[in-house]
Amino acid sequence: MIDLHTHSICSDGTTTPAENVALAVGAGLSGLALTDHDTLAGWVEAAAACERLGLEFVPGIELSTEDNDLSVHVLGYWVDPGHAALAEECARLRDERADRAARILDKLAALGLSLDPAAVAAHAGDAPIGRPHIAKAMVDAGFVPDLGTAFQDYLADGGPAWVVKHALSPEKGVALIRAAGGVAVLAHPGSTAYGVADETLVDRLCAAGLAGLEADHAGHDAETVEHWRKVAVLRDLVVTGASDFHGDGKDVLIGARTTSADVVKELRERAAPVAAGGREPW
Ligand code: AMP
Ligand code: ZN
Ligand code: FE
Ligand code: FE
């Protein structure tokens, strides 16, 4: 069994890529994907650890996209790490994230919660800055008791301190992953800010070349998993399962949900051939 969605300190997780691999071994998994937000920075370390410990490494990314000002996360697996347009989008998102963090801090300050930008930067380290890093600084400052409250009361999409991230549309995100030779899977369809009933998003992404749906996400209850499994089967999408592990950042363990090695193989077979130059499809 393989966990197809985990984060490390290379984005907003709290464990190193090698620690994720060790945790996967401890959980009895046969493989592991590293899917940090908008970066491939942890691949080399995770691949080496998998090689050392005899696990299948599935290289991945969780690409931030925005649809009508709401976050939609698109997972990309086996993308070419040398693909220029993907690297450019990651660099653009990193800059945008830094800018957005400053604007979120402005909004928090206007609400009476002034944070030191250096405290947020310390949580992010070398990673692209995300809301969880800001949430941690809010907990440190004693403004909120925990990360969940920071999101619920301030940082969640549409919340009082939320600032939209200027990112590609989900269709373009899927097209970019395909152009980079990868396979695109819609992450946690039942826990997007979109709400659980929006199948039109899935239809739009299918038209853009979506290969799979993360129906079995650790944040989905049994009914939600079943719903999205049916949505996937009706559209001939591969159904994946994963934990979305974030270390201490989230109350879920590596291996909490998994995908069988056979399904991972099926997913890989849907990878688009790497675009050989020419016009990009977005
Ligand atoms: P960002 O990349 O800055 O848009 O932040 C997205 C990340 O924040 C997600 O991957 C989750 O780890 C976390 N997150 C988003 N919404 C919530 C929420 N309501 N409660 C806790 N964590 C959340
Ligand atoms: Zn995250
Ligand atoms: Fe996500
Ligand atoms: Fe994630």
Side-chain angles (χ1 to χ4, degrees):
M1 300 305 273
I2 298 175
D3 189 335
L4 277 181
H5 186 162
T6 74
H7 295 267
S8 75
I9 52 170
C10 294
S11 65
D12 56 5
T14 61
T15 50
T16 64
E19 283 166 349
N20 284 17
V21 176
L23 289 167
V25 171
L29 302 185
S30 63
L32 181 77
L34 186 70
T35 53
D36 277 308
H37 297 284
D38 311 321
T39 178
L40 311 178
W43 280 21
V44 171
E45 182 183 326
C50 279
E51 168 101 49
R52 203 165 52 239
L53 296 166
L55 257 70
E56 176 178 352
F57 178 55
V58 178
I61 183 169
E62 186 172 21
L63 191 65
S64 297
T65 74
E66 295 281 335
D67 191 44
N68 296 323
D69 285 355
L70 292 174
S71 306
V72 174
H73 290 171
V74 182
L75 294 160
Y77 298 105
W78 303 290
V79 290
D80 171 7
H83 192 263
L86 180 61
E88 271 166 37
E89 178 59 14
C90 289
R92 207 184 63 77
L93 280 163
R94 171 183 282 270
D95 291 347
E96 169 60 25
R97 283 173 168 283
D99 203 55
R100 179 183 66 145
R103 285 181 288 145
I104 290 175
L105 295 197
D106 287 346
K107 281 198 164 185
L108 286 171
L111 293 164
L113 310 182
S114 283
L115 282 174
D116 179 358
V120 177
H123 279 298
D126 290 333
I129 298 185
R131 284 175 285 173
H133 302 124
I134 299 173
K136 279 184 200 153
M138 290 171 73
V139 174
D140 292 346
F143 294 152
V144 286
D146 50 48
L147 301 181
T149 309
F151 272 92
Q152 202 179 310
D153 292 355
Y154 298 100
L155 301 172
D157 284 26
W162 171 73
V163 173
V164 69
K165 184 161 67 250
H166 295 295
L168 293 178
S169 69
E171 287 95 329
K172 285 182 176 170
V174 168
L176 178 55
I177 287 163
R178 282 174 60 81
V183 173
V185 172
L186 178 61
H188 42 71
S191 16
T192 58
Y194 236 84
V196 291
D198 204 325
E199 290 165 32
T200 62
L201 171 66
V202 177
D203 288 329
R204 282 160 44 207
L205 297 189
C206 283
L210 188 72
L213 208 55
E214 192 184 51
D216 191 13
H217 180 270
H220 295 172
D221 61 22
E223 202 182 321
T224 306
V225 172
E226 243 355 271
H227 170 76
W228 289 101
R229 194 188 293 281
K230 283 185 194 139
V231 169
V233 168
L234 276 173
R235 291 161 180 81
D236 190 34
L237 293 167
V238 175
V239 175
T240 67
S243 66
D244 202 359
F245 175 76
H246 275 75
D248 296 337
K250 217 176 205 178
D251 197 15
V252 66
L253 298 175
I254 280 190
R257 305 285 175 96
T258 54
T259 307
S260 74
D262 283 352
V263 171
V264 173
K265 189 162 169 276
E266 193 189 333
L267 189 63
R268 185 161 197 177
E269 282 161 5
R270 298 204 186 192
V274 177
R279 224 179 134 262
E280 299 288 9
W282 57 90

